[in-house]
mmCIF file with all atom_site columns, all heavy atoms in Angstrom:
data_model
loop_
_atom_site.group_PDB
_atom_site.id
_atom_site.type_symbol
_atom_site.label_atom_id
_atom_site.label_alt_id
_atom_site.label_comp_id
_atom_site.label_asym_id
_atom_site.label_entity_id
_atom_site.label_seq_id
_atom_site.pdbx_PDB_ins_code
_atom_site.Cartn_x
_atom_site.Cartn_y
_atom_site.Cartn_z
_atom_site.occupancy
_atom_site.B_iso_or_equiv
_atom_site.pdbx_formal_charge
_atom_site.auth_seq_id
_atom_site.auth_comp_id
_atom_site.auth_asym_id
_atom_site.auth_atom_id
_atom_site.pdbx_PDB_model_num
ATOM 1   N N   . ALA F 1 157 ? 88.847  78.271 122.560 1.00 93.00 ? 169 ALA F N   1
ATOM 2   C CA  . ALA F 1 157 ? 89.758  77.413 121.790 1.00 93.00 ? 169 ALA F CA  1
ATOM 3   C C   . ALA F 1 157 ? 90.465  78.246 120.718 1.00 93.00 ? 169 ALA F C   1
ATOM 4   O O   . ALA F 1 157 ? 91.650  78.061 120.444 1.00 93.00 ? 169 ALA F O   1
ATOM 5   C CB  . ALA F 1 157 ? 88.972  76.272 121.144 1.00 93.00 ? 169 ALA F CB  1
ATOM 6   N N   . TYR F 1 158 ? 89.713  79.173 120.143 1.00 94.00 ? 170 TYR F N   1
ATOM 7   C CA  . TYR F 1 158 ? 90.319  79.983 119.091 1.00 94.00 ? 170 TYR F CA  1
ATOM 8   C C   . TYR F 1 158 ? 91.419  80.877 119.643 1.00 94.00 ? 170 TYR F C   1
ATOM 9   O O   . TYR F 1 158 ? 92.506  80.974 119.076 1.00 94.00 ? 170 TYR F O   1
ATOM 10  C CB  . TYR F 1 158 ? 89.251  80.825 118.392 1.00 94.00 ? 170 TYR F CB  1
ATOM 11  C CG  . TYR F 1 158 ? 89.848  81.585 117.228 1.00 94.00 ? 170 TYR F CG  1
ATOM 12  C CD1 . TYR F 1 158 ? 90.336  80.897 116.120 1.00 94.00 ? 170 TYR F CD1 1
ATOM 13  C CD2 . TYR F 1 158 ? 89.992  82.961 117.271 1.00 94.00 ? 170 TYR F CD2 1
ATOM 14  C CE1 . TYR F 1 158 ? 90.929  81.565 115.073 1.00 94.00 ? 170 TYR F CE1 1
ATOM 15  C CE2 . TYR F 1 158 ? 90.587  83.642 116.225 1.00 94.00 ? 170 TYR F CE2 1
ATOM 16  C CZ  . TYR F 1 158 ? 91.044  82.945 115.127 1.00 94.00 ? 170 TYR F CZ  1
ATOM 17  O OH  . TYR F 1 158 ? 91.647  83.595 114.096 1.00 94.00 ? 170 TYR F OH  1
ATOM 18  N N   . PHE F 1 159 ? 91.157  81.498 120.783 1.00 94.00 ? 171 PHE F N   1
ATOM 19  C CA  . PHE F 1 159 ? 92.199  82.347 121.372 1.00 94.00 ? 171 PHE F CA  1
ATOM 20  C C   . PHE F 1 159 ? 93.445  81.524 121.690 1.00 94.00 ? 171 PHE F C   1
ATOM 21  O O   . PHE F 1 159 ? 94.569  81.992 121.532 1.00 94.00 ? 171 PHE F O   1
ATOM 22  C CB  . PHE F 1 159 ? 91.670  83.044 122.632 1.00 94.00 ? 171 PHE F CB  1
ATOM 23  C CG  . PHE F 1 159 ? 90.772  84.219 122.332 1.00 94.00 ? 171 PHE F CG  1
ATOM 24  C CD1 . PHE F 1 159 ? 89.439  84.237 122.711 1.00 94.00 ? 171 PHE F CD1 1
ATOM 25  C CD2 . PHE F 1 159 ? 91.277  85.327 121.648 1.00 94.00 ? 171 PHE F CD2 1
ATOM 26  C CE1 . PHE F 1 159 ? 88.616  85.320 122.421 1.00 94.00 ? 171 PHE F CE1 1
ATOM 27  C CE2 . PHE F 1 159 ? 90.465  86.419 121.360 1.00 94.00 ? 171 PHE F CE2 1
ATOM 28  C CZ  . PHE F 1 159 ? 89.135  86.416 121.735 1.00 94.00 ? 171 PHE F CZ  1
ATOM 29  N N   . ALA F 1 160 ? 93.268  80.270 122.098 1.00 94.00 ? 172 ALA F N   1
ATOM 30  C CA  . ALA F 1 160 ? 94.414  79.406 122.402 1.00 94.00 ? 172 ALA F CA  1
ATOM 31  C C   . ALA F 1 160 ? 95.220  79.099 121.134 1.00 94.00 ? 172 ALA F C   1
ATOM 32  O O   . ALA F 1 160 ? 96.457  79.105 121.145 1.00 94.00 ? 172 ALA F O   1
ATOM 33  C CB  . ALA F 1 160 ? 93.925  78.106 123.043 1.00 94.00 ? 172 ALA F CB  1
ATOM 34  N N   . GLU F 1 161 ? 94.509  78.874 120.048 1.00 94.00 ? 173 GLU F N   1
ATOM 35  C CA  . GLU F 1 161 ? 95.173  78.559 118.781 1.00 94.00 ? 173 GLU F CA  1
ATOM 36  C C   . GLU F 1 161 ? 96.035  79.738 118.319 1.00 94.00 ? 173 GLU F C   1
ATOM 37  O O   . GLU F 1 161 ? 97.189  79.578 117.902 1.00 94.00 ? 173 GLU F O   1
ATOM 38  C CB  . GLU F 1 161 ? 94.098  78.244 117.730 1.00 94.00 ? 173 GLU F CB  1
ATOM 39  C CG  . GLU F 1 161 ? 94.634  77.865 116.363 1.00 94.00 ? 173 GLU F CG  1
ATOM 40  C CD  . GLU F 1 161 ? 93.501  77.635 115.351 1.00 94.00 ? 173 GLU F CD  1
ATOM 41  O OE1 . GLU F 1 161 ? 92.376  77.252 115.765 1.00 94.00 ? 173 GLU F OE1 1
ATOM 42  O OE2 . GLU F 1 161 ? 93.743  77.861 114.153 1.00 94.00 ? 173 GLU F OE2 1
ATOM 43  N N   . VAL F 1 162 ? 95.486  80.933 118.446 1.00 94.00 ? 174 VAL F N   1
ATOM 44  C CA  . VAL F 1 162 ? 96.224  82.128 118.049 1.00 94.00 ? 174 VAL F CA  1
ATOM 45  C C   . VAL F 1 162 ? 97.460  82.295 118.918 1.00 94.00 ? 174 VAL F C   1
ATOM 46  O O   . VAL F 1 162 ? 98.561  82.574 118.426 1.00 94.00 ? 174 VAL F O   1
ATOM 47  C CB  . VAL F 1 162 ? 95.308  83.371 118.142 1.00 94.00 ? 174 VAL F CB  1
ATOM 48  C CG1 . VAL F 1 162 ? 96.110  84.645 117.929 1.00 94.00 ? 174 VAL F CG1 1
ATOM 49  C CG2 . VAL F 1 162 ? 94.179  83.273 117.119 1.00 94.00 ? 174 VAL F CG2 1
ATOM 50  N N   . GLN F 1 163 ? 97.300  82.057 120.223 1.00 92.00 ? 175 GLN F N   1
ATOM 51  C CA  . GLN F 1 163 ? 98.415  82.183 121.152 1.00 92.00 ? 175 GLN F CA  1
ATOM 52  C C   . GLN F 1 163 ? 99.550  81.231 120.773 1.00 92.00 ? 175 GLN F C   1
ATOM 53  O O   . GLN F 1 163 ? 100.719 81.587 120.819 1.00 92.00 ? 175 GLN F O   1
ATOM 54  C CB  . GLN F 1 163 ? 97.901  81.856 122.574 1.00 92.00 ? 175 GLN F CB  1
ATOM 55  C CG  . GLN F 1 163 ? 98.655  82.574 123.668 1.00 92.00 ? 175 GLN F CG  1
ATOM 56  C CD  . GLN F 1 163 ? 98.668  84.089 123.440 1.00 92.00 ? 175 GLN F CD  1
ATOM 57  O OE1 . GLN F 1 163 ? 97.618  84.699 123.288 1.00 92.00 ? 175 GLN F OE1 1
ATOM 58  N NE2 . GLN F 1 163 ? 99.846  84.692 123.375 1.00 92.00 ? 175 GLN F NE2 1
ATOM 59  N N   . ASP F 1 164 ? 99.166  80.025 120.377 1.00 91.00 ? 176 ASP F N   1
ATOM 60  C CA  . ASP F 1 164 ? 100.131 79.005 119.989 1.00 91.00 ? 176 ASP F CA  1
ATOM 61  C C   . ASP F 1 164 ? 100.967 79.489 118.800 1.00 91.00 ? 176 ASP F C   1
ATOM 62  O O   . ASP F 1 164 ? 102.196 79.380 118.797 1.00 91.00 ? 176 ASP F O   1
ATOM 63  C CB  . ASP F 1 164 ? 99.343  77.734 119.614 1.00 91.00 ? 176 ASP F CB  1
ATOM 64  C CG  . ASP F 1 164 ? 100.285 76.572 119.396 1.00 91.00 ? 176 ASP F CG  1
ATOM 65  O OD1 . ASP F 1 164 ? 101.227 76.425 120.206 1.00 91.00 ? 176 ASP F OD1 1
ATOM 66  O OD2 . ASP F 1 164 ? 100.093 75.826 118.415 1.00 91.00 ? 176 ASP F OD2 1
ATOM 67  N N   . HIS F 1 165 ? 100.324 80.076 117.805 1.00 93.00 ? 177 HIS F N   1
ATOM 68  C CA  . HIS F 1 165 ? 101.055 80.603 116.649 1.00 93.00 ? 177 HIS F CA  1
ATOM 69  C C   . HIS F 1 165 ? 102.007 81.710 117.067 1.00 93.00 ? 177 HIS F C   1
ATOM 70  O O   . HIS F 1 165 ? 103.171 81.741 116.653 1.00 93.00 ? 177 HIS F O   1
ATOM 71  C CB  . HIS F 1 165 ? 100.078 81.167 115.613 1.00 93.00 ? 177 HIS F CB  1
ATOM 72  C CG  . HIS F 1 165 ? 99.493  80.127 114.718 1.00 93.00 ? 177 HIS F CG  1
ATOM 73  N ND1 . HIS F 1 165 ? 100.277 79.288 113.958 1.00 93.00 ? 177 HIS F ND1 1
ATOM 74  C CD2 . HIS F 1 165 ? 98.213  79.794 114.445 1.00 93.00 ? 177 HIS F CD2 1
ATOM 75  C CE1 . HIS F 1 165 ? 99.490  78.471 113.269 1.00 93.00 ? 177 HIS F CE1 1
ATOM 76  N NE2 . HIS F 1 165 ? 98.233  78.753 113.551 1.00 93.00 ? 177 HIS F NE2 1
ATOM 77  N N   . LEU F 1 166 ? 101.524 82.598 117.920 1.00 92.00 ? 178 LEU F N   1
ATOM 78  C CA  . LEU F 1 166 ? 102.364 83.727 118.323 1.00 92.00 ? 178 LEU F CA  1
ATOM 79  C C   . LEU F 1 166 ? 103.643 83.226 118.985 1.00 92.00 ? 178 LEU F C   1
ATOM 80  O O   . LEU F 1 166 ? 104.703 83.830 118.838 1.00 92.00 ? 178 LEU F O   1
ATOM 81  C CB  . LEU F 1 166 ? 101.590 84.657 119.260 1.00 92.00 ? 178 LEU F CB  1
ATOM 82  C CG  . LEU F 1 166 ? 100.399 85.397 118.608 1.00 92.00 ? 178 LEU F CG  1
ATOM 83  C CD1 . LEU F 1 166 ? 99.592  86.152 119.654 1.00 92.00 ? 178 LEU F CD1 1
ATOM 84  C CD2 . LEU F 1 166 ? 100.882 86.360 117.524 1.00 92.00 ? 178 LEU F CD2 1
ATOM 85  N N   . GLU F 1 167 ? 103.543 82.105 119.695 1.00 90.00 ? 179 GLU F N   1
ATOM 86  C CA  . GLU F 1 167 ? 104.711 81.514 120.337 1.00 90.00 ? 179 GLU F CA  1
ATOM 87  C C   . GLU F 1 167 ? 105.659 80.908 119.297 1.00 90.00 ? 179 GLU F C   1
ATOM 88  O O   . GLU F 1 167 ? 106.856 81.181 119.279 1.00 90.00 ? 179 GLU F O   1
ATOM 89  C CB  . GLU F 1 167 ? 104.225 80.441 121.334 1.00 90.00 ? 179 GLU F CB  1
ATOM 90  C CG  . GLU F 1 167 ? 105.211 80.087 122.407 1.00 90.00 ? 179 GLU F CG  1
ATOM 91  C CD  . GLU F 1 167 ? 105.774 81.324 123.102 1.00 90.00 ? 179 GLU F CD  1
ATOM 92  O OE1 . GLU F 1 167 ? 104.990 82.265 123.449 1.00 90.00 ? 179 GLU F OE1 1
ATOM 93  O OE2 . GLU F 1 167 ? 107.004 81.376 123.264 1.00 90.00 ? 179 GLU F OE2 1
ATOM 94  N N   . ARG F 1 168 ? 105.112 80.087 118.396 1.00 89.00 ? 180 ARG F N   1
ATOM 95  C CA  . ARG F 1 168 ? 105.933 79.416 117.379 1.00 89.00 ? 180 ARG F CA  1
ATOM 96  C C   . ARG F 1 168 ? 106.650 80.398 116.471 1.00 89.00 ? 180 ARG F C   1
ATOM 97  O O   . ARG F 1 168 ? 107.733 80.125 115.962 1.00 89.00 ? 180 ARG F O   1
ATOM 98  C CB  . ARG F 1 168 ? 105.050 78.553 116.476 1.00 89.00 ? 180 ARG F CB  1
ATOM 99  C CG  . ARG F 1 168 ? 104.595 77.255 117.079 1.00 89.00 ? 180 ARG F CG  1
ATOM 100 C CD  . ARG F 1 168 ? 103.503 76.695 116.171 1.00 89.00 ? 180 ARG F CD  1
ATOM 101 N NE  . ARG F 1 168 ? 102.816 75.569 116.785 1.00 89.00 ? 180 ARG F NE  1
ATOM 102 C CZ  . ARG F 1 168 ? 103.221 74.308 116.624 1.00 89.00 ? 180 ARG F CZ  1
ATOM 103 N NH1 . ARG F 1 168 ? 104.273 74.045 115.888 1.00 89.00 ? 180 ARG F NH1 1
ATOM 104 N NH2 . ARG F 1 168 ? 102.557 73.342 117.194 1.00 89.00 ? 180 ARG F NH2 1
ATOM 105 N N   . LEU F 1 169 ? 106.023 81.555 116.242 1.00 91.00 ? 181 LEU F N   1
ATOM 106 C CA  . LEU F 1 169 ? 106.583 82.509 115.290 1.00 91.00 ? 181 LEU F CA  1
ATOM 107 C C   . LEU F 1 169 ? 107.889 83.120 115.778 1.00 91.00 ? 181 LEU F C   1
ATOM 108 O O   . LEU F 1 169 ? 108.512 83.909 115.089 1.00 91.00 ? 181 LEU F O   1
ATOM 109 C CB  . LEU F 1 169 ? 105.557 83.605 114.984 1.00 91.00 ? 181 LEU F CB  1
ATOM 110 C CG  . LEU F 1 169 ? 104.426 83.139 114.046 1.00 91.00 ? 181 LEU F CG  1
ATOM 111 C CD1 . LEU F 1 169 ? 103.278 84.123 114.022 1.00 91.00 ? 181 LEU F CD1 1
ATOM 112 C CD2 . LEU F 1 169 ? 104.972 82.932 112.622 1.00 91.00 ? 181 LEU F CD2 1
#
Side-chain angles (χ1 to χ4, degrees):
Chain F
Y170 185 66
F171 283 117
E173 181 183 332
V174 172
Q175 209 54 55
D176 188 43
H177 278 303
L178 293 173
E179 201 50 45
R180 284 168 191 270
L181 285 167

